[in-house]
Amino acid sequence: MAALPKRIVKETERLSKEPVPGISAVPHDDNLRYFDVTIDGPSQSPYEGGLFRLELFLPDDYPMTPPKVRFLTKIYHPNIDRLGRICLDVLKSNWSPALQIRTILLSIQALLGAPNPDDPLANDVAQAWKEDQSKAIETAKQWTAQHAARPTA
Amino acid sequence: MVRDVLPEATEEIAEKTDLYVTYHSDARHLVRLMQCPQCSKPFSTPVTLPCGHSVCRSCLPASKPRANISYPNTPDRLIGVACPLPQCGAEHAAAECNVDVTLTKLMELLKYDISKHRPSAEDSPMLLEEVLRDAIDSPMEEKDLVLVVQPRSRVLHGGRLVSTFAMVELGELRYSSELKYQSLSASGDDYYDLDVAILERLRDVVHKELDCLVCYNMMLDPTTTSCGHTFCRRCLARVMDHSSACPVCRRDLHIPASLQNKGSNTLLNSLLAALCPDLVTARKRAVEAEEQVGNEDMNMPLFVCTLALPTMPTFLHVFEPRYRLMMRRCMEGDRLFGMVMYNKTSAPQGDLGPTQFLEYGTLLEIVNYELLRDGRSFVETRGVGRFRIRAHGMLDGYNVGRIERVEDLSLSEEGSLEQTETTAAQEVAEEFSRDYPDAPLPTPVTLNLHSTQELLDNCMEFIREMRQASAPWLSARIVQVYGEPPEDPATFPYWFASVLPIAEEEKYALLRTTRVRERLKIVYSWISRIRGQRWPSGSSCSIL
């Protein structure tokens, strides 16, 4: 295997030295391109109080191609499907090598704060969201409490 | 001037000290790199032009409409700016003359740092005398004008660099002029230490500020886009393999991935070379090592695509970003890469296990490389040998491997093999016809009875027959591409496999062979099969 590019080394260093509030990303010891990620549900969103686990993988031609990110924690969100896949432009066509792990995770956190049912990935959730928003938000809160509960100390 | 170099000084310190001496003695050169060639003042919001040179935005001549330009068809390209630099003289599209974001910020920082080093007390007097260069090399008609211009001189403080810059800020030092320094210090001090202090700062600012947003390293050969954003040249080229948009502002850039005709940023390159030559060298070395792959043996790029055969041409249309990069690197290097087929059945490949590709492949040499504007390319290659993959890995998205060449046995071994095989077959045949006088010989025996030359003659005969029957797959066009069948039994099978429309997986068997005779026998068996069955007339050739 080729050595880990300097860029990935630097990004990893900065992520641990200057962490983003409410976000953590830690690489696996045996695969430095694979990160365990957690994101705090943003305040004043249905995901508030939840701790969401994600996996993030940097492909071989990163940063030319975007990182692959997926929710591991179940989440009720119109832009995130049952398998945890995320519908976010910067993870697909709007990726740019000037973005980085940090900015991508911030975008995902922002997506939690601003669900967009008009560009859905989970059709049923988006439908429910459009038909009865307050009920959908209630469901999202329930799911958060049920699946994204913080481990109690 | 006497300097104390400690005997135990490391090489690095020695290099740095060299740098300081150079810029102490040639402060003029360094300051010129912060000076607009147009107005001779320190750069203010510089624009880097498509030719790679920079001037202040306010120094750009007024734009003029350009006639007869319709590609790319955007209104801002219909306006042109005549390049103010005599070295260039071209007309640039106004759309491509944008503020150089990196250079603008760098110049602000450099200016700020120099101003901080400006002495508070006027205690380091130095006489700076301008030496006009124009008087020597400008054309005749200008000379008279220049003669009227008197060289200026001033007494300034703060060491050579700071005082030279101060003179530039005052607008009293022409871009082309040289300077003569004369210290007016009572003790004869020429303020070397002052220069060292400021140089250390400038060096720091330059290398910290020139950090590429793509690779997070110090920029190597910085190149500026038309929208004013700067990256390492190689990083920008790689980005262009994947997208035509600027990574920072997403503006569409009309440049091919090869960055052909795209000048690097002259000024940033000069600044790096002037202030951080050691870091530039280190960075160059690191990049070379990176592109070499972590493991030095794993040096063969692998194109996983199709069957290619030795001595035969293979034509490729390269569109995947990772292969665009690979082709570019091949073109910069020895023009060689390995072609391997997909392992469609995921069969285990020797020691490699069930890899994505088959373990035997063909070494291809690029004969012709035609780069299309959008970064795709047409590549004409010729097979130069066969190999087996012993280890493999990834480099920037494509496969690389350590390969072992597959060669034929020596001619003497080939000869003795033919001898043993045909003699043994003769004995078997005699025995067989004694026992079963009416039965035909089994196929393997017939095959082994033929001498290598007979096998080839047989194959050639088949080709002649097919030509007479004008087999659709043996059209003139095919012969034009692959040439006439070679008379060398070693290469004939490759030619035959190239033109014969049978499954590639069958042809793959040729790549593993180490004997000429073995290859001919494979071909012979194909021919026997074709002769034994009616060739379906509908399967016209689709090799190309």
Side-chain angles (χ1 to χ4, degrees):
Chain A
M1 273 311 241
L4 202 65
K6 178 109 172 271
R7 157 148 182 169
I8 298 182
V9 176
K10 281 196 178 168
E11 277 202 60
T12 310
E13 268 174 22
R14 280 183 212 168
L15 279 168
S16 72
K17 267 193 212 147
E18 310 148 33
V20 194
I23 293 176
S24 88
V26 184
H28 278 202
D29 286 339
D30 55 349
N31 184 354
L32 296 171
R33 289 175 176 268
Y34 186 89
F35 291 73
D36 286 324
V37 176
T38 63
I39 297 184
D40 291 354
S43 60
Q44 288 166 8
S45 79
Y47 312 100
E48 183 171 3
L51 179 72
F52 296 87
R53 289 200 310 121
L54 298 89
E55 59 174 3
L56 181 146
F57 179 70
L58 303 175
D60 276 314
D61 44 2
Y62 178 81
M64 296 304 146
T65 54
K68 298 189 190 311
V69 198
R70 191 169 76 96
F71 271 86
L72 295 174
T73 306
K74 269 172 80 77
I75 181 168
Y76 191 79
H77 191 287
N79 310 104
I80 301 164
D81 75 358
R82 265 182 323 115
L83 299 172
R85 293 177 298 192
I86 307 162
C87 178
L88 188 61
D89 61 344
V90 286
L91 284 175
K92 304 266 163 22
S93 53
N94 269 345
W95 167 255
S96 146
L99 296 172
Q100 44 173 307
I101 302 176
R102 175 188 298 267
T103 49
I104 283 297
L105 295 181
L106 277 168
S107 300
I108 294 174
Q109 197 181 36
L111 185 69
L112 294 186
N116 178 10
D118 292 325
D119 181 22
L121 188 63
N123 269 319
D124 48 338
V125 180
Q127 195 63 31
W129 214 278
K130 279 186 179 167
E131 279 167 8
D132 187 348
Q133 189 172 337
S134 55
K135 193 178 150 214
I137 290 177
E138 205 46 49
T139 315
K141 281 183 182 166
Q142 276 170 20
W143 281 43
T144 304
Q146 198 180 337
H147 302 290
R150 284 169 181 282
T152 42
Chain B
M1 154 82 210
V2 181
R3 280 181 301 119
D4 296 322
V5 180
L6 299 172
E8 64 266 31
T10 63
E11 195 182 320
E12 192 188 339
I13 294 179
E15 264 179 37
K16 271 195 189 174
T17 317
D18 284 349
L19 189 71
Y20 299 149
V21 176
T22 309
Y23 283 106
H24 170 71
S25 57
D26 194 11
R28 175 68 194 107
H29 171 66
L30 186 58
V31 172
R32 190 177 281 127
L33 296 177
M34 298 176 231
Q35 207 180 351
C36 170
Q38 246 350 70
C39 65
S40 292
K41 298 268 275 187
F43 274 113
S44 140
T45 342
V47 167
T48 294
L49 302 162
C51 56
H53 298 102
S54 311
V55 291
C56 301
R57 181 168 55 180
S58 50
C59 292
L60 270 183
S63 51
K64 288 179 297 200
R66 300 204 294 175
N68 303 326
I69 286 176
S70 69
Y71 176 81
N73 194 5
T74 50
D76 50 3
R77 297 194 68 89
L78 296 176
I79 304 168
V81 173
C83 185
L85 295 150
Q87 309 96 296
C88 174
E91 186 182 61
H92 303 306
E96 294 186 349
C97 303
N98 287 304
V99 171
D100 184 331
V101 182
T102 313
L103 187 61
T104 300
K105 183 160 174 223
L106 183 65
M107 287 301 161
E108 293 299 325
L109 289 171
L110 293 177
K111 223 183 280 182
Y112 174 75
D113 262 293
I114 294 177
S115 73
K116 273 202 314 198
H117 277 78
R118 195 158 296 150
S120 44
E122 306 214 320
D123 53 0
S124 45
M126 172 125 64
L127 174 67
L128 288 80
E129 284 176 284
E130 187 179 20
V131 180
L132 289 175
R133 271 260 296 271
D134 301 22
I136 310 154
D137 42 356
S138 64
M140 276 303 276
E141 57 266 38
E142 276 178 43
K143 224 172 197 169
D144 305 327
L145 272 176
V146 170
L147 284 176
V148 184
V149 178
Q150 289 302 309
R152 287 172 270 210
S153 61
R154 263 207 179 247
V155 174
L156 291 158
H157 301 264
R160 289 188 178 186
L161 277 167
V162 171
S163 57
T164 311
F165 193 78
M167 196 162 168
V168 168
E169 279 190 310
L170 289 167
E172 295 190 354
L173 182 59
R174 289 167 194 87
Y175 180 79
S176 56
S177 299
E178 298 298 333
L179 265 187
K180 258 201 313 212
Y181 301 94
Q182 190 191 338
S183 171
L184 303 178
S185 152
S187 61
D189 184 357
D190 66 357
Y191 316 119
Y192 174 76
D193 295 342
L194 290 175
D195 284 337
V196 169
I198 179 73
L199 257 167
E200 190 73 58
R201 274 301 300 152
L202 298 185
R203 181 180 147 90
D204 210 42
V205 167
V206 164
H207 106 252
K208 286 222 174 90
E209 205 47 45
L210 297 187
D211 202 40
C212 172
L213 266 171
V214 173
C215 65
Y216 289 23
N217 273 303
M218 192 182 81
M219 288 178 187
L220 183 60
D221 195 0
T223 303
T224 303
T225 62
S226 55
C227 48
H229 298 112
T230 308
F231 311 91
C232 301
R233 193 173 179 85
R234 61 186 282 281
C235 287
L236 182 60
R238 280 200 65 191
V239 170
M240 290 299 109
D241 279 338
H242 291 258
S243 149
S244 62
C246 167
V248 174
C249 66
R250 299 180 200 274
R251 209 176 305 183
D252 202 21
L253 303 173
H254 292 279
I255 43 171
S258 64
L259 303 188
Q260 256 169 347
N261 309 323
K262 170 91 196 145
S264 300
N265 192 315
T266 320
L267 200 60
L268 290 181
N269 268 305
S270 309
L271 276 167
L272 280 172
L275 286 165
C276 323
D278 49 335
L279 298 175
V280 172
T281 316
R283 180 91 187 86
K284 264 189 202 148
R285 279 196 206 125
V287 164
E288 275 164 25
E290 258 171 54
E291 297 191 349
Q292 266 277 309
V293 198
N295 182 345
E296 228 177 68
D297 312 326
M298 270 237 277
N299 54 6
M300 185 50 68
L302 298 175
F303 201 125
V304 185
C305 178
T306 180
L307 176 84
L309 292 158
T311 69
M312 289 293 125
T314 302
F315 301 90
L316 299 165
H317 170 202
V318 179
F319 55 90
E320 274 187 71
R322 54 185 176 152
Y323 290 132
R324 292 182 191 187
L325 173 67
M326 180 167 134
M327 284 302 129
R328 225 174 29 251
R329 286 189 181 156
C330 286
M331 287 306 290
E332 284 164 10
D334 54 10
R335 293 179 157 234
L336 290 174
F337 64 94
M339 174 62 79
V340 281
M341 286 168 72
Y342 273 106
N343 183 1
K344 288 185 191 153
T345 58
S346 300
Q349 299 297 307
D351 304 337
L352 302 177
T355 43
Q356 187 208 358
F357 40 80
L358 299 181
E359 70 175 320
Y360 287 90
T362 306
L363 196 59
L364 295 180
E365 183 178 28
I366 300 173
V367 181
N368 246 312
Y369 179 72
E370 193 188 332
L371 186 68
L372 305 183
R373 218 191 136 74
D374 59 6
R376 290 179 300 134
S377 55
F378 288 117
V379 183
E380 182 189 344
T381 63
R382 184 160 290 274
V384 292
R386 295 172 290 147
F387 62 82
R388 181 180 178 189
I389 301 169
R390 299 321 306 245
H392 62 98
M394 294 295 277
L395 174 64
D396 298 323
Y398 59 81
N399 287 287
V400 288
R402 187 176 80 233
I403 60 163
E404 177 186 274
R405 292 291 288 267
V406 176
E407 307 281 4
D408 285 339
L409 295 176
S410 70
L411 285 180
S412 63
E413 280 173 278
E414 183 78 45
S416 64
L417 178 90
E418 182 183 356
Q419 224 167 29
T420 1
E421 217 173 77
T422 46
T423 328
Q426 258 159 20
E427 283 167 17
V428 174
E430 277 165 26
E431 210 174 298
F432 188 88
S433 37
R434 257 203 316 274
D435 298 348
Y436 314 96
D438 298 326
L441 283 172
T443 326
V445 182
T446 344
L447 204 54
N448 283 349
L449 266 180
H450 291 302
S451 71
T452 303
Q453 186 58 45
E454 276 167 3
L455 284 171
L456 179 69
D457 291 345
N458 247 303
C459 296
M460 287 298 205
E461 180 54 35
F462 177 74
I463 301 288
R464 268 191 296 277
E465 279 169 32
M466 287 297 120
R467 273 201 176 154
Q468 270 160 16
S470 56
W473 47 271
L474 201 58
S475 68
R477 197 164 69 106
I478 296 298
V479 174
Q480 206 177 15
V481 172
Y482 295 99
E484 287 293 330
E487 282 169 23
D488 180 355
T491 55
F492 173 83
Y494 300 135
W495 179 90
F496 192 69
S498 295
V499 304
L500 192 69
I502 60 168
E504 289 196 337
E505 282 70 18
E506 279 198 70
K507 301 178 185 174
Y508 174 68
L510 295 178
L511 296 185
R512 330 173 51 131
T513 56
T514 51
R515 298 168 194 149
V516 174
R517 194 170 160 77
E518 196 184 349
R519 277 204 291 284
L520 272 178
K521 276 157 72 176
I522 293 174
V523 171
Y524 191 86
S525 69
W526 295 341
I527 292 178
S528 308
R529 204 177 64 211
I530 295 167
R531 280 190 163 139
Q533 71 189 34
R534 237 180 57 124
W535 192 255
S537 58
S539 92
S540 55
C541 177
S542 55
I543 294 171
L544 269 185

mmCIF file of all heavy atoms in Angstrom, chain B residues 401-432:
data_model
loop_
_atom_site.group_PDB
_atom_site.id
_atom_site.type_symbol
_atom_site.label_atom_id
_atom_site.label_comp_id
_atom_site.label_asym_id
_atom_site.label_seq_id
_atom_site.Cartn_x
_atom_site.Cartn_y
_atom_site.Cartn_z
ATOM 1 N N GLY B 401 1.671 -2.489 -9.466
ATOM 2 C CA GLY B 401 2.122 -3.818 -9.087
ATOM 3 C C GLY B 401 3.616 -4.005 -9.233
ATOM 4 O O GLY B 401 4.306 -3.216 -9.896
ATOM 5 N N ARG B 402 4.075 -5.048 -8.569
ATOM 6 C CA ARG B 402 5.456 -5.478 -8.807
ATOM 7 C C ARG B 402 5.332 -6.602 -9.806
ATOM 8 O O ARG B 402 4.581 -7.554 -9.581
ATOM 9 C CB ARG B 402 6.082 -5.976 -7.512
ATOM 10 C CG ARG B 402 7.559 -6.274 -7.682
ATOM 11 C CD ARG B 402 8.201 -6.668 -6.380
ATOM 12 N NE ARG B 402 7.932 -8.060 -6.071
ATOM 13 C CZ ARG B 402 7.418 -8.475 -4.932
ATOM 14 N NH1 ARG B 402 7.093 -7.619 -4.010
ATOM 15 N NH2 ARG B 402 7.212 -9.746 -4.713
ATOM 16 N N ILE B 403 6.024 -6.489 -10.912
ATOM 17 C CA ILE B 403 5.828 -7.486 -11.956
ATOM 18 C C ILE B 403 7.102 -8.258 -12.216
ATOM 19 O O ILE B 403 8.203 -7.828 -11.886
ATOM 20 C CB ILE B 403 5.350 -6.833 -13.273
ATOM 21 C CG1 ILE B 403 6.384 -5.823 -13.772
ATOM 22 C CG2 ILE B 403 3.979 -6.209 -13.114
ATOM 23 C CD1 ILE B 403 6.194 -5.443 -15.215
ATOM 24 N N GLU B 404 6.892 -9.410 -12.833
ATOM 25 C CA GLU B 404 8.004 -10.264 -13.218
ATOM 26 C C GLU B 404 7.778 -10.534 -14.695
ATOM 27 O O GLU B 404 6.664 -10.891 -15.087
ATOM 28 C CB GLU B 404 7.868 -11.542 -12.390
ATOM 29 C CG GLU B 404 8.838 -12.627 -12.640
ATOM 30 C CD GLU B 404 8.411 -13.849 -11.815
ATOM 31 O OE1 GLU B 404 8.783 -13.931 -10.641
ATOM 32 O OE2 GLU B 404 7.666 -14.693 -12.353
ATOM 33 N N ARG B 405 8.790 -10.305 -15.484
ATOM 34 C CA ARG B 405 8.595 -10.493 -16.924
ATOM 35 C C ARG B 405 8.431 -11.977 -17.240
ATOM 36 O O ARG B 405 9.057 -12.833 -16.621
ATOM 37 C CB ARG B 405 9.795 -9.934 -17.689
ATOM 38 C CG ARG B 405 9.909 -8.427 -17.603
ATOM 39 C CD ARG B 405 8.806 -7.730 -18.350
ATOM 40 N NE ARG B 405 8.960 -7.836 -19.792
ATOM 41 C CZ ARG B 405 9.590 -6.921 -20.532
ATOM 42 N NH1 ARG B 405 10.099 -5.850 -19.990
ATOM 43 N NH2 ARG B 405 9.703 -7.082 -21.847
ATOM 44 N N VAL B 406 7.553 -12.273 -18.194
ATOM 45 C CA VAL B 406 7.376 -13.650 -18.659
ATOM 46 C C VAL B 406 8.058 -13.742 -20.016
ATOM 47 O O VAL B 406 7.706 -13.020 -20.941
ATOM 48 C CB VAL B 406 5.880 -14.002 -18.794
ATOM 49 C CG1 VAL B 406 5.710 -15.391 -19.380
ATOM 50 C CG2 VAL B 406 5.196 -13.888 -17.448
ATOM 51 N N GLU B 407 9.068 -14.600 -20.109
ATOM 52 C CA GLU B 407 9.810 -14.714 -21.362
ATOM 53 C C GLU B 407 9.745 -16.147 -21.866
ATOM 54 O O GLU B 407 9.503 -17.073 -21.091
ATOM 55 C CB GLU B 407 11.292 -14.337 -21.144
ATOM 56 C CG GLU B 407 11.523 -12.991 -20.500
ATOM 57 C CD GLU B 407 11.377 -11.827 -21.454
ATOM 58 O OE1 GLU B 407 11.003 -12.062 -22.635
ATOM 59 O OE2 GLU B 407 11.626 -10.687 -21.032
ATOM 60 N N ASP B 408 9.993 -16.315 -23.154
ATOM 61 C CA ASP B 408 10.060 -17.669 -23.715
ATOM 62 C C ASP B 408 11.338 -18.356 -23.251
ATOM 63 O O ASP B 408 12.311 -17.702 -22.909
ATOM 64 C CB ASP B 408 10.054 -17.595 -25.243
ATOM 65 C CG ASP B 408 8.665 -17.280 -25.770
ATOM 66 O OD1 ASP B 408 7.690 -17.515 -25.028
ATOM 67 O OD2 ASP B 408 8.568 -16.798 -26.912
ATOM 68 N N LEU B 409 11.302 -19.690 -23.300
ATOM 69 C CA LEU B 409 12.503 -20.459 -22.975
ATOM 70 C C LEU B 409 13.570 -20.170 -24.029
ATOM 71 O O LEU B 409 13.269 -19.633 -25.093
ATOM 72 C CB LEU B 409 12.167 -21.956 -22.996
ATOM 73 C CG LEU B 409 11.177 -22.431 -21.927
ATOM 74 C CD1 LEU B 409 10.874 -23.900 -22.143
ATOM 75 C CD2 LEU B 409 11.763 -22.209 -20.549
ATOM 76 N N SER B 410 14.787 -20.579 -23.724
ATOM 77 C CA SER B 410 15.859 -20.320 -24.681
ATOM 78 C C SER B 410 15.639 -21.162 -25.932
ATOM 79 O O SER B 410 14.903 -22.144 -25.917
ATOM 80 C CB SER B 410 17.202 -20.667 -24.052
ATOM 81 O OG SER B 410 17.278 -22.071 -23.917
ATOM 82 N N LEU B 411 16.290 -20.766 -27.014
ATOM 83 C CA LEU B 411 16.099 -21.465 -28.282
ATOM 84 C C LEU B 411 16.549 -22.917 -28.199
ATOM 85 O O LEU B 411 15.963 -23.789 -28.817
ATOM 86 C CB LEU B 411 16.857 -20.734 -29.392
ATOM 87 C CG LEU B 411 16.194 -19.438 -29.853
ATOM 88 C CD1 LEU B 411 17.006 -18.790 -30.952
ATOM 89 C CD2 LEU B 411 14.767 -19.686 -30.319
ATOM 90 N N SER B 412 17.598 -23.179 -27.418
ATOM 91 C CA SER B 412 18.076 -24.568 -27.330
ATOM 92 C C SER B 412 17.048 -25.437 -26.615
ATOM 93 O O SER B 412 16.770 -26.560 -27.025
ATOM 94 C CB SER B 412 19.423 -24.625 -26.621
ATOM 95 O OG SER B 412 19.284 -24.176 -25.304
ATOM 96 N N GLU B 413 16.438 -24.868 -25.565
ATOM 97 C CA GLU B 413 15.411 -25.645 -24.880
ATOM 98 C C GLU B 413 14.215 -25.863 -25.792
ATOM 99 O O GLU B 413 13.603 -26.919 -25.808
ATOM 100 C CB GLU B 413 14.963 -24.905 -23.611
ATOM 101 C CG GLU B 413 15.913 -25.079 -22.450
ATOM 102 C CD GLU B 413 15.528 -24.202 -21.284
ATOM 103 O OE1 GLU B 413 15.887 -23.012 -21.300
ATOM 104 O OE2 GLU B 413 14.853 -24.712 -20.381
ATOM 105 N N GLU B 414 13.886 -24.790 -26.534
ATOM 106 C CA GLU B 414 12.768 -24.870 -27.468
ATOM 107 C C GLU B 414 13.026 -25.995 -28.482
ATOM 108 O O GLU B 414 12.144 -26.798 -28.779
ATOM 109 C CB GLU B 414 12.636 -23.514 -28.187
ATOM 110 C CG GLU B 414 11.481 -23.404 -29.135
ATOM 111 C CD GLU B 414 10.135 -23.179 -28.451
ATOM 112 O OE1 GLU B 414 10.066 -22.344 -27.534
ATOM 113 O OE2 GLU B 414 9.172 -23.863 -28.825
ATOM 114 N N GLY B 415 14.271 -26.045 -28.965
ATOM 115 C CA GLY B 415 14.635 -27.058 -29.951
ATOM 116 C C GLY B 415 14.523 -28.470 -29.402
ATOM 117 O O GLY B 415 13.899 -29.336 -30.027
ATOM 118 N N SER B 416 15.092 -28.672 -28.207
ATOM 119 C CA SER B 416 15.076 -30.029 -27.662
ATOM 120 C C SER B 416 13.645 -30.449 -27.328
ATOM 121 O O SER B 416 13.277 -31.611 -27.449
ATOM 122 C CB SER B 416 15.991 -30.141 -26.440
ATOM 123 O OG SER B 416 15.505 -29.316 -25.423
ATOM 124 N N LEU B 417 12.826 -29.468 -26.946
ATOM 125 C CA LEU B 417 11.433 -29.780 -26.646
ATOM 126 C C LEU B 417 10.720 -30.279 -27.903
ATOM 127 O O LEU B 417 9.994 -31.274 -27.878
ATOM 128 C CB LEU B 417 10.734 -28.528 -26.121
ATOM 129 C CG LEU B 417 9.262 -28.740 -25.834
ATOM 130 C CD1 LEU B 417 9.077 -29.199 -24.404
ATOM 131 C CD2 LEU B 417 8.474 -27.472 -26.095
ATOM 132 N N GLU B 418 10.960 -29.553 -29.013
ATOM 133 C CA GLU B 418 10.313 -29.944 -30.263
ATOM 134 C C GLU B 418 10.746 -31.353 -30.641
ATOM 135 O O GLU B 418 9.923 -32.190 -31.008
ATOM 136 C CB GLU B 418 10.692 -28.954 -31.374
ATOM 137 C CG GLU B 418 10.017 -29.260 -32.703
ATOM 138 C CD GLU B 418 10.443 -28.321 -33.828
ATOM 139 O OE1 GLU B 418 11.209 -27.375 -33.571
ATOM 140 O OE2 GLU B 418 9.998 -28.564 -34.965
ATOM 141 N N GLN B 419 12.069 -31.589 -30.475
ATOM 142 C CA GLN B 419 12.617 -32.889 -30.813
ATOM 143 C C GLN B 419 11.943 -34.005 -30.023
ATOM 144 O O GLN B 419 11.414 -34.951 -30.585
ATOM 145 C CB GLN B 419 14.109 -32.883 -30.489
ATOM 146 C CG GLN B 419 14.966 -33.513 -31.545
ATOM 147 C CD GLN B 419 16.434 -33.165 -31.288
ATOM 148 O OE1 GLN B 419 16.837 -32.958 -30.139
ATOM 149 N NE2 GLN B 419 17.209 -33.096 -32.343
ATOM 150 N N THR B 420 11.941 -33.861 -28.692
ATOM 151 C CA THR B 420 11.361 -34.904 -27.838
ATOM 152 C C THR B 420 9.894 -35.108 -28.161
ATOM 153 O O THR B 420 9.423 -36.233 -28.255
ATOM 154 C CB THR B 420 11.449 -34.542 -26.338
ATOM 155 O OG1 THR B 420 12.054 -33.277 -26.214
ATOM 156 C CG2 THR B 420 12.200 -35.563 -25.551
ATOM 157 N N GLU B 421 9.188 -34.001 -28.326
ATOM 158 C CA GLU B 421 7.747 -34.096 -28.494
ATOM 159 C C GLU B 421 7.402 -34.803 -29.810
ATOM 160 O O GLU B 421 6.571 -35.714 -29.832
ATOM 161 C CB GLU B 421 7.126 -32.693 -28.467
ATOM 162 C CG GLU B 421 5.777 -32.670 -27.772
ATOM 163 C CD GLU B 421 5.273 -31.241 -27.606
ATOM 164 O OE1 GLU B 421 4.797 -30.665 -28.596
ATOM 165 O OE2 GLU B 421 5.369 -30.738 -26.486
ATOM 166 N N THR B 422 8.060 -34.387 -30.899
ATOM 167 C CA THR B 422 7.720 -34.984 -32.195
ATOM 168 C C THR B 422 8.180 -36.440 -32.259
ATOM 169 O O THR B 422 7.461 -37.304 -32.777
ATOM 170 C CB THR B 422 8.355 -34.198 -33.365
ATOM 171 O OG1 THR B 422 9.716 -33.927 -33.043
ATOM 172 C CG2 THR B 422 7.630 -32.894 -33.610
ATOM 173 N N THR B 423 9.365 -36.736 -31.722
ATOM 174 C CA THR B 423 9.839 -38.120 -31.753
ATOM 175 C C THR B 423 8.886 -39.023 -30.977
ATOM 176 O O THR B 423 8.488 -40.094 -31.460
ATOM 177 C CB THR B 423 11.250 -38.252 -31.129
ATOM 178 O OG1 THR B 423 11.961 -37.052 -31.388
ATOM 179 C CG2 THR B 423 11.993 -39.434 -31.661
ATOM 180 N N ALA B 424 8.515 -38.591 -29.781
ATOM 181 C CA ALA B 424 7.600 -39.381 -28.950
ATOM 182 C C ALA B 424 6.287 -39.588 -29.683
ATOM 183 O O ALA B 424 5.735 -40.697 -29.691
ATOM 184 C CB ALA B 424 7.369 -38.698 -27.607
ATOM 185 N N ALA B 425 5.811 -38.531 -30.330
ATOM 186 C CA ALA B 425 4.533 -38.634 -31.022
ATOM 187 C C ALA B 425 4.608 -39.629 -32.173
ATOM 188 O O ALA B 425 3.664 -40.372 -32.436
ATOM 189 C CB ALA B 425 4.109 -37.263 -31.539
ATOM 190 N N GLN B 426 5.788 -39.610 -32.866
ATOM 191 C CA GLN B 426 5.948 -40.548 -33.976
ATOM 192 C C GLN B 426 5.833 -41.982 -33.494
ATOM 193 O O GLN B 426 5.157 -42.807 -34.096
ATOM 194 C CB GLN B 426 7.305 -40.335 -34.640
ATOM 195 C CG GLN B 426 7.191 -39.559 -35.945
ATOM 196 C CD GLN B 426 8.514 -38.928 -36.329
ATOM 197 O OE1 GLN B 426 9.565 -39.360 -35.844
ATOM 198 N NE2 GLN B 426 8.440 -37.923 -37.176
ATOM 199 N N GLU B 427 6.497 -42.254 -32.367
ATOM 200 C CA GLU B 427 6.453 -43.608 -31.817
ATOM 201 C C GLU B 427 5.022 -43.994 -31.474
ATOM 202 O O GLU B 427 4.556 -45.080 -31.811
ATOM 203 C CB GLU B 427 7.338 -43.706 -30.564
ATOM 204 C CG GLU B 427 8.819 -43.792 -30.935
ATOM 205 C CD GLU B 427 9.722 -43.582 -29.726
ATOM 206 O OE1 GLU B 427 9.221 -43.704 -28.582
ATOM 207 O OE2 GLU B 427 10.908 -43.264 -29.936
ATOM 208 N N VAL B 428 4.325 -43.073 -30.796
ATOM 209 C CA VAL B 428 2.941 -43.345 -30.407
ATOM 210 C C VAL B 428 2.099 -43.603 -31.659
ATOM 211 O O VAL B 428 1.290 -44.531 -31.716
ATOM 212 C CB VAL B 428 2.354 -42.166 -29.601
ATOM 213 C CG1 VAL B 428 0.871 -42.374 -29.325
ATOM 214 C CG2 VAL B 428 3.105 -42.011 -28.287
ATOM 215 N N ALA B 429 2.335 -42.792 -32.693
ATOM 216 C CA ALA B 429 1.534 -42.895 -33.911
ATOM 217 C C ALA B 429 1.755 -44.247 -34.593
ATOM 218 O O ALA B 429 0.795 -44.905 -35.031
ATOM 219 C CB ALA B 429 1.891 -41.750 -34.860
ATOM 220 N N GLU B 430 3.042 -44.644 -34.658
ATOM 221 C CA GLU B 430 3.336 -45.928 -35.300
ATOM 222 C C GLU B 430 2.635 -47.054 -34.574
ATOM 223 O O GLU B 430 2.009 -47.913 -35.171
ATOM 224 C CB GLU B 430 4.850 -46.171 -35.318
ATOM 225 C CG GLU B 430 5.531 -45.470 -36.485
ATOM 226 C CD GLU B 430 7.045 -45.406 -36.306
ATOM 227 O OE1 GLU B 430 7.598 -46.286 -35.600
ATOM 228 O OE2 GLU B 430 7.656 -44.461 -36.841
ATOM 229 N N GLU B 431 2.740 -46.999 -33.229
ATOM 230 C CA GLU B 431 2.128 -48.021 -32.396
ATOM 231 C C GLU B 431 0.616 -48.054 -32.610
ATOM 232 O O GLU B 431 -0.001 -49.110 -32.757
ATOM 233 C CB GLU B 431 2.432 -47.705 -30.941
ATOM 234 C CG GLU B 431 2.522 -48.935 -30.045
ATOM 235 C CD GLU B 431 2.979 -48.540 -28.659
ATOM 236 O OE1 GLU B 431 4.131 -48.020 -28.549
ATOM 237 O OE2 GLU B 431 2.181 -48.687 -27.721
ATOM 238 N N PHE B 432 0.053 -46.833 -32.657
ATOM 239 C CA PHE B 432 -1.389 -46.696 -32.765
ATOM 240 C C PHE B 432 -1.892 -47.277 -34.106
ATOM 241 O O PHE B 432 -2.863 -48.016 -34.144
ATOM 242 C CB PHE B 432 -1.783 -45.214 -32.658
ATOM 243 C CG PHE B 432 -3.261 -44.976 -32.575
ATOM 244 C CD1 PHE B 432 -3.905 -44.972 -31.332
ATOM 245 C CD2 PHE B 432 -4.029 -44.762 -33.722
ATOM 246 C CE1 PHE B 432 -5.267 -44.754 -31.249
ATOM 247 C CE2 PHE B 432 -5.394 -44.545 -33.636
ATOM 248 C CZ PHE B 432 -6.015 -44.542 -32.399
#
